[in-house]
PDB file of all heavy atoms in Angstrom:
ATOM      1  N   THR W  23       6.676   1.026   4.664  1.00 98.00           N
ATOM      2  CA  THR W  23       5.889   1.243   3.456  1.00 98.00           C
ATOM      3  C   THR W  23       5.099  -0.010   3.101  1.00 98.00           C
ATOM      4  O   THR W  23       3.924   0.067   2.723  1.00 98.00           O
ATOM      5  CB  THR W  23       6.808   1.653   2.294  1.00 98.00           C
ATOM      6  OG1 THR W  23       7.446   2.898   2.621  1.00 98.00           O
ATOM      7  CG2 THR W  23       6.025   1.814   0.999  1.00 98.00           C
ATOM      8  N   ALA W  24       5.737  -1.175   3.220  1.00 98.00           N
ATOM      9  CA  ALA W  24       5.020  -2.425   2.962  1.00 98.00           C
ATOM     10  C   ALA W  24       3.865  -2.594   3.957  1.00 98.00           C
ATOM     11  O   ALA W  24       2.747  -2.982   3.576  1.00 98.00           O
ATOM     12  CB  ALA W  24       5.980  -3.603   3.049  1.00 98.00           C
ATOM     13  N   PHE W  25       4.106  -2.288   5.209  1.00 98.00           N
ATOM     14  CA  PHE W  25       3.036  -2.356   6.206  1.00 98.00           C
ATOM     15  C   PHE W  25       1.862  -1.450   5.836  1.00 98.00           C
ATOM     16  O   PHE W  25       0.694  -1.834   5.944  1.00 98.00           O
ATOM     17  CB  PHE W  25       3.568  -1.938   7.581  1.00 98.00           C
ATOM     18  CG  PHE W  25       4.024  -3.089   8.429  1.00 98.00           C
ATOM     19  CD1 PHE W  25       5.343  -3.180   8.856  1.00 98.00           C
ATOM     20  CD2 PHE W  25       3.138  -4.070   8.814  1.00 98.00           C
ATOM     21  CE1 PHE W  25       5.763  -4.231   9.649  1.00 98.00           C
ATOM     22  CE2 PHE W  25       3.550  -5.130   9.616  1.00 98.00           C
ATOM     23  CZ  PHE W  25       4.870  -5.215  10.029  1.00 98.00           C
ATOM     24  N   ARG W  26       2.201  -0.240   5.412  1.00 98.00           N
ATOM     25  CA  ARG W  26       1.140   0.719   5.097  1.00 98.00           C
ATOM     26  C   ARG W  26       0.319   0.256   3.901  1.00 98.00           C
ATOM     27  O   ARG W  26      -0.888   0.493   3.836  1.00 98.00           O
ATOM     28  CB  ARG W  26       1.757   2.097   4.860  1.00 98.00           C
ATOM     29  CG  ARG W  26       2.340   2.692   6.132  1.00 98.00           C
ATOM     30  CD  ARG W  26       3.181   3.909   5.885  1.00 98.00           C
ATOM     31  NE  ARG W  26       2.370   5.105   5.695  1.00 98.00           N
ATOM     32  CZ  ARG W  26       2.889   6.312   5.506  1.00 98.00           C
ATOM     33  NH1 ARG W  26       4.215   6.467   5.477  1.00 98.00           N
ATOM     34  NH2 ARG W  26       2.115   7.348   5.347  1.00 98.00           N
ATOM     35  N   VAL W  27       0.967  -0.406   2.944  1.00 98.00           N
ATOM     36  CA  VAL W  27       0.228  -0.995   1.829  1.00 98.00           C
ATOM     37  C   VAL W  27      -0.773  -2.019   2.351  1.00 98.00           C
ATOM     38  O   VAL W  27      -1.950  -2.024   1.964  1.00 98.00           O
ATOM     39  CB  VAL W  27       1.202  -1.650   0.820  1.00 98.00           C
ATOM     40  CG1 VAL W  27       0.454  -2.571  -0.150  1.00 98.00           C
ATOM     41  CG2 VAL W  27       1.973  -0.582   0.054  1.00 98.00           C
ATOM     42  N   LEU W  28      -0.315  -2.882   3.225  1.00 98.00           N
ATOM     43  CA  LEU W  28      -1.192  -3.920   3.765  1.00 98.00           C
ATOM     44  C   LEU W  28      -2.313  -3.314   4.625  1.00 98.00           C
ATOM     45  O   LEU W  28      -3.472  -3.727   4.547  1.00 98.00           O
ATOM     46  CB  LEU W  28      -0.375  -4.928   4.565  1.00 98.00           C
ATOM     47  CG  LEU W  28      -1.133  -6.141   5.103  1.00 98.00           C
ATOM     48  CD1 LEU W  28      -1.862  -6.884   3.983  1.00 98.00           C
ATOM     49  CD2 LEU W  28      -0.186  -7.075   5.820  1.00 98.00           C
ATOM     50  N   PHE W  29      -1.964  -2.309   5.446  1.00 98.00           N
ATOM     51  CA  PHE W  29      -2.992  -1.649   6.260  1.00 98.00           C
ATOM     52  C   PHE W  29      -4.078  -1.042   5.381  1.00 98.00           C
ATOM     53  O   PHE W  29      -5.268  -1.142   5.680  1.00 98.00           O
ATOM     54  CB  PHE W  29      -2.372  -0.552   7.135  1.00 98.00           C
ATOM     55  CG  PHE W  29      -1.422  -1.051   8.185  1.00 98.00           C
ATOM     56  CD1 PHE W  29      -0.375  -0.253   8.618  1.00 98.00           C
ATOM     57  CD2 PHE W  29      -1.561  -2.306   8.753  1.00 98.00           C
ATOM     58  CE1 PHE W  29       0.508  -0.684   9.595  1.00 98.00           C
ATOM     59  CE2 PHE W  29      -0.684  -2.753   9.734  1.00 98.00           C
ATOM     60  CZ  PHE W  29       0.347  -1.942  10.158  1.00 98.00           C
ATOM     61  N   GLU W  30      -3.654  -0.387   4.290  1.00 98.00           N
ATOM     62  CA  GLU W  30      -4.639   0.226   3.399  1.00 98.00           C
ATOM     63  C   GLU W  30      -5.526  -0.838   2.749  1.00 98.00           C
ATOM     64  O   GLU W  30      -6.731  -0.643   2.586  1.00 98.00           O
ATOM     65  CB  GLU W  30      -3.952   1.079   2.333  1.00 98.00           C
ATOM     66  CG  GLU W  30      -4.937   1.801   1.431  1.00 98.00           C
ATOM     67  CD  GLU W  30      -4.300   2.813   0.504  1.00 98.00           C
ATOM     68  OE1 GLU W  30      -3.139   3.204   0.742  1.00 98.00           O
ATOM     69  OE2 GLU W  30      -4.968   3.218  -0.474  1.00 98.00           O
ATOM     70  N   ARG W  31      -4.899  -1.952   2.369  1.00 98.00           N
ATOM     71  CA  ARG W  31      -5.695  -3.037   1.774  1.00 98.00           C
ATOM     72  C   ARG W  31      -6.743  -3.546   2.769  1.00 98.00           C
ATOM     73  O   ARG W  31      -7.901  -3.807   2.408  1.00 98.00           O
ATOM     74  CB  ARG W  31      -4.754  -4.183   1.363  1.00 98.00           C
ATOM     75  CG  ARG W  31      -5.443  -5.494   1.017  1.00 98.00           C
ATOM     76  CD  ARG W  31      -6.368  -5.360  -0.182  1.00 98.00           C
ATOM     77  NE  ARG W  31      -7.046  -6.619  -0.456  1.00 98.00           N
ATOM     78  CZ  ARG W  31      -8.174  -7.035   0.149  1.00 98.00           C
ATOM     79  NH1 ARG W  31      -8.732  -6.289   1.086  1.00 98.00           N
ATOM     80  NH2 ARG W  31      -8.723  -8.190  -0.178  1.00 98.00           N
ATOM     81  N   LEU W  32      -6.363  -3.639   4.020  1.00 98.00           N
ATOM     82  CA  LEU W  32      -7.293  -4.131   5.030  1.00 98.00           C
ATOM     83  C   LEU W  32      -8.401  -3.121   5.319  1.00 98.00           C
ATOM     84  O   LEU W  32      -9.558  -3.483   5.535  1.00 98.00           O
ATOM     85  CB  LEU W  32      -6.537  -4.464   6.313  1.00 98.00           C
ATOM     86  CG  LEU W  32      -5.546  -5.617   6.208  1.00 98.00           C
ATOM     87  CD1 LEU W  32      -4.784  -5.791   7.507  1.00 98.00           C
ATOM     88  CD2 LEU W  32      -6.253  -6.902   5.843  1.00 98.00           C
ATOM     89  N   ASP W  33      -8.044  -1.851   5.331  1.00 98.00           N
ATOM     90  CA  ASP W  33      -9.031  -0.815   5.652  1.00 98.00           C
ATOM     91  C   ASP W  33     -10.005  -0.561   4.506  1.00 98.00           C
ATOM     92  O   ASP W  33     -11.194  -0.352   4.731  1.00 98.00           O
ATOM     93  CB  ASP W  33      -8.320   0.489   6.018  1.00 98.00           C
ATOM     94  CG  ASP W  33      -7.611   0.406   7.359  1.00 98.00           C
ATOM     95  OD1 ASP W  33      -7.998  -0.453   8.176  1.00 98.00           O
ATOM     96  OD2 ASP W  33      -6.669   1.188   7.581  1.00 98.00           O
ATOM     97  N   SER W  34      -9.501  -0.573   3.266  1.00 98.00           N
ATOM     98  CA  SER W  34     -10.329  -0.184   2.119  1.00 98.00           C
ATOM     99  C   SER W  34     -10.939  -1.361   1.375  1.00 98.00           C
ATOM    100  O   SER W  34     -11.917  -1.207   0.646  1.00 98.00           O
ATOM    101  CB  SER W  34      -9.499   0.644   1.128  1.00 98.00           C
ATOM    102  OG  SER W  34      -8.537  -0.185   0.472  1.00 98.00           O
ATOM    103  N   GLY W  35     -10.338  -2.545   1.514  1.00 97.00           N
ATOM    104  CA  GLY W  35     -10.767  -3.696   0.741  1.00 97.00           C
ATOM    105  C   GLY W  35     -10.130  -3.770  -0.627  1.00 97.00           C
ATOM    106  O   GLY W  35     -10.414  -4.708  -1.389  1.00 97.00           O
ATOM    107  N   ASN W  36      -9.248  -2.815  -0.964  1.00 98.00           N
ATOM    108  CA  ASN W  36      -8.592  -2.795  -2.275  1.00 98.00           C
ATOM    109  C   ASN W  36      -7.100  -2.561  -2.105  1.00 98.00           C
ATOM    110  O   ASN W  36      -6.674  -1.814  -1.209  1.00 98.00           O
ATOM    111  CB  ASN W  36      -9.176  -1.683  -3.159  1.00 98.00           C
ATOM    112  CG  ASN W  36     -10.642  -1.885  -3.443  1.00 98.00           C
ATOM    113  OD1 ASN W  36     -11.048  -2.876  -4.043  1.00 98.00           O
ATOM    114  ND2 ASN W  36     -11.463  -0.934  -2.998  1.00 98.00           N
ATOM    115  N   TRP W  37      -6.311  -3.181  -2.984  1.00 98.00           N
ATOM    116  CA  TRP W  37      -4.870  -2.929  -2.968  1.00 98.00           C
ATOM    117  C   TRP W  37      -4.599  -1.529  -3.514  1.00 98.00           C
ATOM    118  O   TRP W  37      -5.136  -1.154  -4.551  1.00 98.00           O
ATOM    119  CB  TRP W  37      -4.126  -3.947  -3.820  1.00 98.00           C
ATOM    120  CG  TRP W  37      -4.112  -5.337  -3.260  1.00 98.00           C
ATOM    121  CD1 TRP W  37      -4.838  -6.403  -3.688  1.00 98.00           C
ATOM    122  CD2 TRP W  37      -3.314  -5.809  -2.164  1.00 98.00           C
ATOM    123  NE1 TRP W  37      -4.563  -7.516  -2.930  1.00 98.00           N
ATOM    124  CE2 TRP W  37      -3.626  -7.190  -1.987  1.00 98.00           C
ATOM    125  CE3 TRP W  37      -2.378  -5.212  -1.322  1.00 98.00           C
ATOM    126  CZ2 TRP W  37      -3.029  -7.969  -1.009  1.00 98.00           C
ATOM    127  CZ3 TRP W  37      -1.784  -5.998  -0.327  1.00 98.00           C
ATOM    128  CH2 TRP W  37      -2.105  -7.349  -0.178  1.00 98.00           C
ATOM    129  N   PRO W  38      -3.755  -0.751  -2.847  1.00 98.00           N
ATOM    130  CA  PRO W  38      -3.367   0.563  -3.375  1.00 98.00           C
ATOM    131  C   PRO W  38      -2.362   0.402  -4.513  1.00 98.00           C
ATOM    132  O   PRO W  38      -1.910  -0.711  -4.794  1.00 98.00           O
ATOM    133  CB  PRO W  38      -2.726   1.231  -2.159  1.00 98.00           C
ATOM    134  CG  PRO W  38      -2.160   0.107  -1.372  1.00 98.00           C
ATOM    135  CD  PRO W  38      -3.115  -1.048  -1.561  1.00 98.00           C
ATOM    136  N   PRO W  39      -1.988   1.502  -5.195  1.00 95.00           N
ATOM    137  CA  PRO W  39      -0.971   1.413  -6.250  1.00 95.00           C
ATOM    138  C   PRO W  39       0.332   0.842  -5.712  1.00 95.00           C
ATOM    139  O   PRO W  39       0.797   1.229  -4.635  1.00 95.00           O
ATOM    140  CB  PRO W  39      -0.794   2.865  -6.693  1.00 95.00           C
ATOM    141  CG  PRO W  39      -2.083   3.530  -6.337  1.00 95.00           C
ATOM    142  CD  PRO W  39      -2.543   2.865  -5.070  1.00 95.00           C
ATOM    143  N   LEU W  40       0.913  -0.093  -6.462  1.00 98.00           N
ATOM    144  CA  LEU W  40       2.134  -0.771  -6.028  1.00 98.00           C
ATOM    145  C   LEU W  40       3.293  -0.541  -6.991  1.00 98.00           C
ATOM    146  O   LEU W  40       4.268  -1.289  -6.970  1.00 98.00           O
ATOM    147  CB  LEU W  40       1.876  -2.274  -5.877  1.00 98.00           C
ATOM    148  CG  LEU W  40       0.837  -2.678  -4.827  1.00 98.00           C
ATOM    149  CD1 LEU W  40       0.669  -4.193  -4.787  1.00 98.00           C
ATOM    150  CD2 LEU W  40       1.224  -2.164  -3.446  1.00 98.00           C
ATOM    151  N   ASP W  41       3.214   0.482  -7.832  1.00 98.00           N
ATOM    152  CA  ASP W  41       4.325   0.752  -8.740  1.00 98.00           C
ATOM    153  C   ASP W  41       5.510   1.266  -7.929  1.00 98.00           C
ATOM    154  O   ASP W  41       5.349   1.943  -6.899  1.00 98.00           O
ATOM    155  CB  ASP W  41       3.916   1.771  -9.802  1.00 98.00           C
ATOM    156  CG  ASP W  41       3.494   3.092  -9.190  1.00 98.00           C
ATOM    157  OD1 ASP W  41       2.347   3.166  -8.679  1.00 98.00           O
ATOM    158  OD2 ASP W  41       4.300   4.036  -9.185  1.00 98.00           O
ATOM    159  N   PRO W  42       6.744   0.934  -8.364  1.00 98.00           N
ATOM    160  CA  PRO W  42       7.923   1.300  -7.579  1.00 98.00           C
ATOM    161  C   PRO W  42       8.048   2.793  -7.297  1.00 98.00           C
ATOM    162  O   PRO W  42       8.476   3.175  -6.200  1.00 98.00           O
ATOM    163  CB  PRO W  42       9.085   0.796  -8.440  1.00 98.00           C
ATOM    164  CG  PRO W  42       8.506  -0.339  -9.216  1.00 98.00           C
ATOM    165  CD  PRO W  42       7.093   0.071  -9.506  1.00 98.00           C
ATOM    166  N   ALA W  43       7.689   3.641  -8.261  1.00 98.00           N
ATOM    167  CA  ALA W  43       7.831   5.080  -8.046  1.00 98.00           C
ATOM    168  C   ALA W  43       6.969   5.549  -6.878  1.00 98.00           C
ATOM    169  O   ALA W  43       7.419   6.330  -6.023  1.00 98.00           O
ATOM    170  CB  ALA W  43       7.455   5.838  -9.315  1.00 98.00           C
ATOM    171  N   THR W  44       5.737   5.068  -6.808  1.00 98.00           N
ATOM    172  CA  THR W  44       4.843   5.440  -5.709  1.00 98.00           C
ATOM    173  C   THR W  44       5.371   4.919  -4.381  1.00 98.00           C
ATOM    174  O   THR W  44       5.368   5.628  -3.361  1.00 98.00           O
ATOM    175  CB  THR W  44       3.434   4.891  -5.973  1.00 98.00           C
ATOM    176  OG1 THR W  44       2.924   5.474  -7.180  1.00 98.00           O
ATOM    177  CG2 THR W  44       2.496   5.213  -4.824  1.00 98.00           C
ATOM    178  N   LEU W  45       5.831   3.666  -4.373  1.00 98.00           N
ATOM    179  CA  LEU W  45       6.347   3.074  -3.135  1.00 98.00           C
ATOM    180  C   LEU W  45       7.608   3.784  -2.668  1.00 98.00           C
ATOM    181  O   LEU W  45       7.771   4.065  -1.465  1.00 98.00           O
ATOM    182  CB  LEU W  45       6.632   1.588  -3.358  1.00 98.00           C
ATOM    183  CG  LEU W  45       5.413   0.707  -3.656  1.00 98.00           C
ATOM    184  CD1 LEU W  45       5.868  -0.692  -4.066  1.00 98.00           C
ATOM    185  CD2 LEU W  45       4.484   0.634  -2.446  1.00 98.00           C
ATOM    186  N   ASN W  46       8.511   4.091  -3.582  1.00 98.00           N
ATOM    187  CA  ASN W  46       9.753   4.770  -3.197  1.00 98.00           C
ATOM    188  C   ASN W  46       9.481   6.172  -2.681  1.00 98.00           C
ATOM    189  O   ASN W  46      10.111   6.630  -1.717  1.00 98.00           O
ATOM    190  CB  ASN W  46      10.715   4.805  -4.386  1.00 98.00           C
ATOM    191  CG  ASN W  46      11.331   3.449  -4.681  1.00 98.00           C
ATOM    192  OD1 ASN W  46      11.571   2.654  -3.774  1.00 98.00           O
ATOM    193  ND2 ASN W  46      11.584   3.165  -5.942  1.00 98.00           N
ATOM    194  N   GLN W  47       8.528   6.851  -3.310  1.00 98.00           N
ATOM    195  CA  GLN W  47       8.166   8.188  -2.841  1.00 98.00           C
ATOM    196  C   GLN W  47       7.584   8.128  -1.437  1.00 98.00           C
ATOM    197  O   GLN W  47       7.892   8.956  -0.576  1.00 98.00           O
ATOM    198  CB  GLN W  47       7.166   8.828  -3.797  1.00 98.00           C
ATOM    199  CG  GLN W  47       6.783  10.258  -3.436  1.00 98.00           C
ATOM    200  CD  GLN W  47       5.817  10.866  -4.432  1.00 98.00           C
ATOM    201  OE1 GLN W  47       5.224  10.178  -5.256  1.00 98.00           O
ATOM    202  NE2 GLN W  47       5.656  12.183  -4.371  1.00 98.00           N
ATOM    203  N   ALA W  48       6.752   7.117  -1.181  1.00 98.00           N
ATOM    204  CA  ALA W  48       6.175   6.959   0.157  1.00 98.00           C
ATOM    205  C   ALA W  48       7.267   6.679   1.183  1.00 98.00           C
ATOM    206  O   ALA W  48       7.227   7.199   2.312  1.00 98.00           O
ATOM    207  CB  ALA W  48       5.157   5.827   0.140  1.00 98.00           C
TER     208      ALA W  48
END
């Protein structure tokens, strides 16, 4: 999940939502 956050940041140029509920669901 942490990797996917970083991948999305690299692909889009923006950090995705990082609230715990979203991360835990992912």
Side-chain angles (χ1 to χ4, degrees):
T23 298
F25 266 119
R26 292 169 80 178
V27 165
L28 185 55
F29 295 151
E30 183 171 344
R31 167 62 182 84
L32 295 176
D33 289 338
S34 71
N36 298 299
W37 290 105
L40 298 180
D41 60 282
T44 298
L45 295 171
N46 287 327
Q47 183 178 14

